[in-house]
Amino acid sequence: MAGGRMSALSLPIDGAASTEFRAFRARTPLFTVSAGRVLVTLTLPERLRAEDVEFARGLAEQAAAYAVEVERLYRSGRGSSSGRSSGKRRAA
């Protein structure tokens, strides 16, 4: 975001958190993250551009990298030391 204000949102994830992807025939898809009492839904304009495809690909790449790192930490035994639940992900 060049020169504008930026907001930051941090969502603590636990075993009750979820994600959902919804595809539609006649409109752009929705991707939702639910954590606690916060629901974040990513939407796109009805007329897609190359930048929208780039964003979706980047989102997928970063989410995959996040999943790899979480699994690595969990397998190393560091994941259970925080006192939180295992944080199993479920798709709604």
Side-chain angles (χ1 to χ4, degrees), residues 21-81:
F21 167 74
R22 299 187 108 194
F24 304 95
R25 282 184 173 256
R27 66 178 226 212
T28 60
L30 300 176
F31 183 74
T32 301
V33 176
S34 175
R37 298 180 67 157
V38 177
L39 183 71
V40 177
T41 301
L42 302 180
T43 61
L44 293 165
E46 290 299 319
R47 183 167 281 223
L48 296 176
R49 301 169 306 180
E51 294 85 10
D52 301 317
V53 175
E54 281 183 44
F55 174 81
R57 287 182 178 158
L59 176 65
E61 290 170 4
Q62 294 298 305
Y66 178 78
V68 167
E69 183 64 9
V70 170
E71 185 171 336
R72 183 190 70 77
L73 289 171
Y74 176 75
R75 290 186 186 279
S76 74
R78 292 176 53 198
S80 60
S81 64

